[in-house]
Amino acid sequence: MKNFSKLFSILLVLTMTVLMLSGCSGKKASEDAQTRDDAETTAAPAGNQSEESTDSDGASGNTSGTYKIGYNYFGSGSYALLSLANNSKVAIDAFGNEAVGMDDEFSVEKIVQDIENMISSGADGLIIWLPAESLYLTVADICKQAEVPFVLNDKIPSDESIIKELKANPYFVGAVSPANSVYGEAIAQYALSQNLKTCIISSSGVGDASDTPRLEAFTKAFTEGGGEILAELHADAADAAQGQLEDTLVANPDPDFIYGVGSDFGIAAVSALENAGNTRAVVLTSGLDKQALSLLGNSPMKMVNGDFWICGMLSAVVLQNYLDGTPLKDANGGPVWVDNVMPFEVPADKYDLYTRFFLDEYCYSNDEIKQMSGKYNPDFNYDAFIKLIQDQDYSLDKRLIQKYKESKVTADELKAVGIDVD
Amino acid sequence: MAEEILKTENLSKSFGATKANKNINITIHSGSVFGLAGENGSGKSTLASIICGIQKRDGGIIYKDGNEYNPANLIEANRLHVSMVVQELGVVGSLPPAINMFLGRTDEFTTGGIVNLNKMEEAANKQLKKWDLGSIPMDCMTEELSIEQRKILELARALSTDPDFLVLDEISQALSHDRREILYRFIKRFTKEGKTILMVTHDLDEMMEICDTIAVLRDGEMIETKPTSEFTINELKRKMIGREISGEYYRSDWKEEYQEEVILEVENLTVPDQLKDISFQLHKGEILGVCGLSDAGIHSLGRALFGMSERRTGKVCVKTTKALLNKPKDVIKAGGAYLSKDRDLDGLMLDASLGSNLAVPSVSDLSGRLGFLNPREVKNLAEEIKDSFEIKATGIEHIVKSLSGGNRQKVNLSRWLVKDLKFIILDCPTRGVDIGVKAYIYNILKKAKKEGIGILLISDELSETIGMSDRIMIMRDRRIAGILSRNTDFTEDKIIEVML
Amino acid sequence: MGVKMRKLKKQMILLGCIGAIFVISNMAVDGRLLTWNNMKIIITHAIFPSFVSWGMMFIFTSGLIDLSIGANILLSANIGAICAMDLGMGYFGLIGMTLISAVILEQLSVNCSVNLKIPSWISGLGMALIFEAILTFYSTIRSKTEGSSNITLVNYREMGSMPYMAIIWIIGFAAAYIIFNRSTLGLNIRAIGGNEGVAKAMGINMKKTMLSGAVVGALFIGMAAIIQESYAGKLASTSGLGSLSTIFKSLATVLLAQSFERVVSMPVGIIFSAVFVTSLFNVLTLIGVPSGTGQEMCLGAIVILCGIISHWRYKGVVK
């Protein structure tokens, strides 16, 4: 019996080892076959289905014209991360595709695993959120091996050599990211313009991929503008941030403002100021969380900015165009590379309209999203895509004007918030 | 003839293939002390456990007071006025003594959901006073009590259920001379009230003195039951073992005999509240016995010498090398070893295999240059020890917890003796072991003495220290009260005189 | 010296040491530590870990190391807040439903261990993942429809502010002390934790006691969830066992309290330890030690230091 147990254990270990090693390979034989099959049978652009294309410049896709799109999100609990993922899913759904979402459980290492799992599940394309510089080429290689096109969403590398290699990857479709640093800069400029000179920063854990660039840009712009940072706090959760802020307000009882780098931290700052009985300091934050916005005007919360995490939708659009056979390419034939999706402000008086057209319903209708594919709208191309971003078509004001055109909002309502459409 | 209080008919119990009790038939009369004698593993504790509801019987019938008796657990047995002080059960160290005494019955002291601890302490003290068991501090955790106090606490706990049939399983082995006297007084009083005691003990002298009837068990079978007066001690031993005990039991010589060379030198050893100014020398080939009443500090001495006591001052060193022995590591490095009184708690890894337990002290000797062990060498050593010390186990993979008390003590002792020892500190080495193992251990000690190993033999049994020691160091009030020589002073009276 | 006196002496030394640490720390931060306002903040921050630790005490003492407590807090707090806010049940929803949820979730976790004979820390981790997943599922839906990933308790937040928090704390302490030290359940839980064999032999129903202990523990955990939800307004969902970070301070508190168990009983030790741990973070913030890195490092070092001090003269392996 004892020997049998030993033998069984050894066999089990061997089986596990073989399975794990096989997992290390690019793909399984069956997947190879499937990929080949896909390459052979799928038409490239839906609008050009007679032209079969197996080269990377075209697209994969399938005969039905719908695709299985995989997207990952770093973790749940954060409204920002979930919104980013939701925006991707809205676009995936709008195009009639099947979405496969993977939760990375706040582990960078798990992102690679999730990407491999999405590929194994037969995804036709991937929308990848990856905050680690060192992993971009690894992930690009995995996608290349698996012949799965991918787009980078929200996070992009800064190293030129990595960017160059990425752009050379035939399955790299593009990258869309916000001007994270602009968020921080905008807050700093706003603070300085309001003569707010001293601040406490409340942010998520050290090294957080979203908060770090904002924090650095804010710090640089604010200190260069003559501001002083009294304390920089990092907490894993917003409820812990509130305690930290209360402690810090004992050490620094009279800051001009608190910068909550994410909206959760802004909300915590409002509570902390109330508990400390501080009625002078104000709170500025980034992230269009409904709760943060609802505090505008009736609390120390004075400003909230953000881009509604629109990169999630825009990156899905880039991938869709590739899969539809109308890839968005710059003048040199290179993939989309956008790193300046700008934030917009939601002032207190526009909060109700924001809720109505960004939360109660999505800021773009399904038809509008569909028009962002060359398959449905032959006029939609790289230039149109870039213009959409440069014009901040996704901003609150632009969307409200569009809603007015759709007769969803009256001119008077818009006038009341300072938008003149007459 | 008094009434029958308890009777068993064809009582049987098996653990797997091992038959612990085979068709046991006994009849016990009220107001008597019924002794159960037998080697370790003969089935005494199993029989006692079945009677108290701790174990379930496989077959047979038990009658108590003429009615069929089949308790589901100890609590039900308690309700039927049967109680037990179990050999290995113990107490909950992290609870105060009073709560331990009434554990499982705390509702009796509860008003409005709150337990009245004062009332419970009062009841506990009353219980101790009622049976004249001496006092136990109540304002501490039970783990702070000595082993003896804990055993008395267990006895008081058993008595608090108002039993008319009490099972005492190896209780006296944990007690010092004076506390044993308290126990004996209690037994007399208890039986005088018409109540009955079933006593399991390895101390045959004690058994012969206290019990009215003795039943001998061997390999789970009842060998003989008859009045104590009809037994001689040698017959009892023979019936238990199934053969004559070969060789001598204690030493037959009456001469203080050891080499001049001093191995261990102790100067002004002091541990606050435990030991005061202890100084002595242990010679090569000497057995130095240590005895004293409870609280005299004899058990603290062993721990202190091994470097396990807090705030120890004074000097313990190897005479020849002048190496100071401050920590257990120093003692082991100097060729020393220590066996504590509580072998299960301090000595053995109960859930580990026999092989692991046997090899532990020799790990550093067996490990290679890079610190790795050769499994074959470890296995060979363990098997060698197992065979040469006749440890009864299925193999070296046998889990130590399931070994009998005597075999556990063999494990504890043998693994040290295979090493190249210079001295060994033994605290009650024969506690809880049967006559056969006892004789075996004494033989080992005699052999070790011959090989020049210095032995410090701390013991609660006067006969053991008298029988084995070259000199006896008697302690009183945590100090050395006197050192007697085997040449002239070895009488029980003389020792007790110094003790008191 | 009697046992009682020795214990009293140790207690005095402990109090003296804590007092001395506070006085020295106060000097180091220019008197900003021992101010009325700052002490109020410290006490406010100590209340949540105190309740969690009392809950853990009832569960852990019987030998069940349940690591789903953090996830339980997050999920039950959110359920309570939904009942209070979305379903309009007010305080009844907040208190009643949070407590009921906490008890049910804890029972699921503990039953999984006790009935399926799985080591409690394994079943606890498994249940933590499940609880986290349920909350994540809810967060994902809410983030699409409500503009926020977790519900915010806008009203009914008095239990998260002074002096109500302090009153609840005192009541919680009295309840924890009495149940742990002076009730049959508390004594039975301690007996099981101290020596399972003896407890069983003394007729204590092990399973019933462990499950009852888990109910009591869950009530304290539920109270902790209510207090934290009321104090912070919302508790965010996590995944990948991120909920463990919710109870990190409480685990440190229990660890410290266990270290001092020989000196003061657990419920009292938890009060000392919770105040000590939160004060530590407060002092470090006042000194200017960076949060997220330096402060956590100091906490780790202090926990180890306390462990060393509490077993200073103990020779042998501390388990």
Side-chain angles (χ1 to χ4, degrees), chain B residues 133-177:
Chain B
L133 297 175
S135 67
I136 293 174
M138 293 287 163
D139 50 0
C140 62
M141 289 298 156
T142 308
E143 64 197 0
E144 293 169 60
L145 301 179
S146 67
I147 292 181
E148 291 180 62
Q149 286 172 325
R150 277 183 249 169
K151 271 289 160 200
I152 293 293
L153 177 66
E154 284 183 64
L155 176 60
R157 181 171 70 192
L159 290 169
S160 71
T161 62
D162 192 25
D164 57 17
F165 189 92
L166 180 65
V167 179
L168 300 177
D169 189 357
E170 309 266 9
I171 181 170
S172 59
Q173 301 275 309
L175 303 178
S176 59
H177 185 77

Side-chain angles (χ1 to χ4, degrees), chain A residues 369-385:
Chain A
I369 295 171
K370 269 191 164 180
Q371 290 304 308
M372 292 181 199
S373 165
K375 177 179 168 183
Y376 302 100
N377 176 10
D379 295 334
F380 192 82
N381 54 22
Y382 177 83
D383 292 337
F385 181 73

